[in-house]
Every structure is written in structure tokens, then in C-alpha cells.
Amino acid sequence: MILWHFPPKILTISPDYVHIWRINLDLSTDLLTDLAVNLSLEERQRAERFYFERDRKKFIACRGLLRIILSRYLKREPHQLEFAYSPQGKPKLKSIDSEESLCFNVSHSQNLAVFAIALNRPVGIDLEYLRQIPNIEQLAERFFAPSEFSIINALPTAQQQEAFFRFWTIKEAYLKATGEGLAGLQKIAVSFTSENLIHLHNTESDILLNTHWFSTEFKPDPEYTGALVVEGKNFGENTIAYFTLNFDYIMNY
């Protein structure tokens, strides 16, 4: 059972821990306006390019809240943070003082967002709203490894949807951690032990990746499923802190 806590006023993190944050993105117009003030010119221009207003608001919310969270760890003002991007578009903090060692990743689905924070370790996080997807078997056969497709195909119809999302979130969290992107979906295979531990395999080299990567699942809400992947093997539920980002914390940054 995961317990979500309100964050402490003073945030610190060590290389042996990962912090996961969750927040509802259904924010007021006034709060979105306040968050937008901290965005860079490039971020504001990017927000304006979204065709749908809901997507523009979610981008402002996610990037604005990310700045607040990171600023608490770094003890800097949110607007002072600068981001760089990998060729695949993954954001990271520019190397200013100790910022290069603080790693992060973000995911959102529907009205919920999650943020993963780690120190000196690449980290990836994914979140999916549990919804009905038509042709689930065809999608699994196209995008998943044969072993994963076989598992989903053998399940009763009522269980296939959730199984699909479990595989998807773990695989995407790993690919976000490594920076490979979704083009590598079939290169990674997920399996579960009898104790429900997660094993990650590289299908091209048949190498077990658990010696270098830790992965776990979490549920920030009954209607969602999420997954975290972080570099390292000495992790467990006792080394992950789960925080709820609330209104007071946002307003008092």
C-alpha cells in the first residue's frame, strides 16, 4: 500500500532515493497565469503553438509545476532554471552549479501528472489513465515483444486492458530513462516473477537489465497506473518517497 505524503518545507534528496510527485492538473485560470510567469520565452512560445486550449493549459501546468518542484530542491527561483534538450527532446537542467546532478522526468494523462526526481541517476516515469482501447491484441502484437503479446493474448478479455497498460508504462518509463524514445518499444521485454517483481530484458542481446535498472509500479489514483525506472539496483519501496503537490505548497513557493 503506497502512502502519499505532503512534502516537507525543506526538500533534500540523496543518490539512494527517488521522489515521486503527483498533482491534479485541473488548475484555476489564476493559478495557471501565475505559473506561466515563470516560464521562459521559448516555453511560452511552445505553449502558444498547441492547437487545443486544454493541451496548452496542461503544458503550462506541467512545466510551471516542474519549475516549482525543482526550485525547492535547488533553492533557486523557478524562473531562473534553464533547460536543455536531448536530440530526442528529453529535457534536462543546464549545468549550473549542482543542477547537473538533479535528474527528473514528467508524465501526464487526463487530468493527472506525476514527476520523478533523482540525484545523479537517469530516471523515467510514465502514467496512463485506464481506459478501454479497441483492438488491444493487434496493438500488443505490433508494438510489444512476442513474449508480452503471448501473455496478453492468453488472458481473458476483461484482463487484457490492464495488462496492456502495465507493460506499456514500464516499457515507456525505461525508454524515457534511457532517452531512447518509443522507437525502442520492441527492444525491451517486460516479465513478472512469481513474487510480482519486474524483470526487464533487452530482446536484441537477451541481456537482463535488472543489474543496472530498478523498476516498480505505482497507482497515484484508482483509475491510473504508473511505472518508475531508475538507474541502479539497490532500490526498493523503502527508498521511494511519494509526495502530493497541493495548492498551499504551490502558492507558497
Side-chain angles (χ1 to χ4, degrees):
M1 181 69 179
I2 293 175
L3 297 178
W4 295 84
H5 304 277
F6 291 121
K9 290 184 178 180
I10 299 176
L11 279 173
T12 59
I13 188 170
S14 73
D16 298 324
Y17 275 79
V18 179
H19 292 175
I20 297 179
W21 298 69
R22 68 174 180 181
I23 187 168
N24 192 310
L25 295 178
D26 188 16
L27 305 178
S28 69
T29 301
D30 289 343
L31 184 51
L32 284 171
T33 300
D34 290 341
L35 293 174
V37 171
N38 291 319
L39 302 187
S40 67
L41 175 60
E42 182 274 333
E43 288 170 327
R44 291 195 293 271
Q45 291 174 338
R46 182 176 169 184
E48 290 303 319
R49 289 197 292 268
F50 284 100
Y51 183 81
F52 294 106
E53 184 179 8
R54 65 174 183 272
D55 296 327
R56 179 179 63 83
K57 289 181 176 179
K58 286 181 180 179
F59 176 81
I60 292 173
C62 285
R63 189 53 63 91
L65 294 169
L66 173 65
R67 283 179 171 273
I68 289 175
I69 292 172
L70 294 176
S71 70
R72 289 295 184 92
Y73 289 100
L74 299 169
K75 299 176 176 58
R76 300 173 69 92
E77 293 298 320
H79 70 273
Q80 294 177 326
L81 304 181
E82 296 184 71
F83 296 99
Y85 297 87
S86 72
Q88 290 77 27
K90 182 179 180 179
K92 64 178 181 179
L93 285 164
K94 284 190 175 180
S95 301
I96 301 175
D97 299 328
S98 63
E99 292 178 13
E100 61 182 354
S101 63
L102 194 65
C103 302
F104 65 90
N105 201 232
V106 181
S107 183
H108 67 85
S109 183
Q110 292 289 96
N111 289 325
L112 199 64
V114 288
F115 305 81
I117 308 294
L119 196 62
N120 298 322
R121 299 176 183 275
V123 62
I125 197 167
D126 190 50
L127 176 72
E128 294 293 338
Y129 177 71
L130 297 174
R131 59 198 183 275
Q132 291 294 312
I133 296 181
N135 305 318
I136 198 79
E137 294 179 6
Q138 291 90 330
L139 288 174
E141 185 174 20
R142 177 180 178 185
F143 293 109
F144 287 1
S147 59
E148 297 166 327
F149 168 69
S150 296
I151 293 173
I152 291 176
N153 192 46
L155 289 173
T157 303
Q159 299 177 26
Q160 288 182 338
Q161 299 282 336
E162 184 172 357
F164 178 90
F165 283 117
R166 289 185 70 191
F167 281 121
W168 182 276
T169 53
I170 296 168
K171 289 159 72 76
E172 184 164 353
Y174 172 80
L175 295 171
K176 291 174 72 176
T178 61
E180 295 178 55
L182 292 180
L185 272 174
Q186 291 182 317
K187 298 178 183 179
I188 303 301
V190 175
S191 61
F192 300 93
T193 69
S194 57
E195 293 80 20
N196 215 30
L197 298 177
I198 301 168
H199 279 182
L200 295 172
H201 300 263
N202 184 308
T203 58
E204 296 182 332
S205 59
D206 196 28
I207 293 176
L208 182 66
L209 300 170
N210 292 58
T211 55
H212 294 91
W213 297 92
F214 169 79
S215 52
T216 189
E217 298 175 281
F218 64 94
K219 290 186 75 67
D221 183 274
E223 296 182 323
Y224 293 80
T225 188
L228 170 84
V229 174
V230 60
E231 187 180 59
K233 60 180 181 179
N234 297 320
F235 284 91
E237 286 306 316
N238 60 335
T239 60
I240 302 175
Y242 297 89
F243 295 134
T244 294
L245 188 58
N246 61 351
F247 180 79
D248 289 340
Y249 195 85
I250 298 170
M251 294 306 296
N252 292 313
Y253 68 83

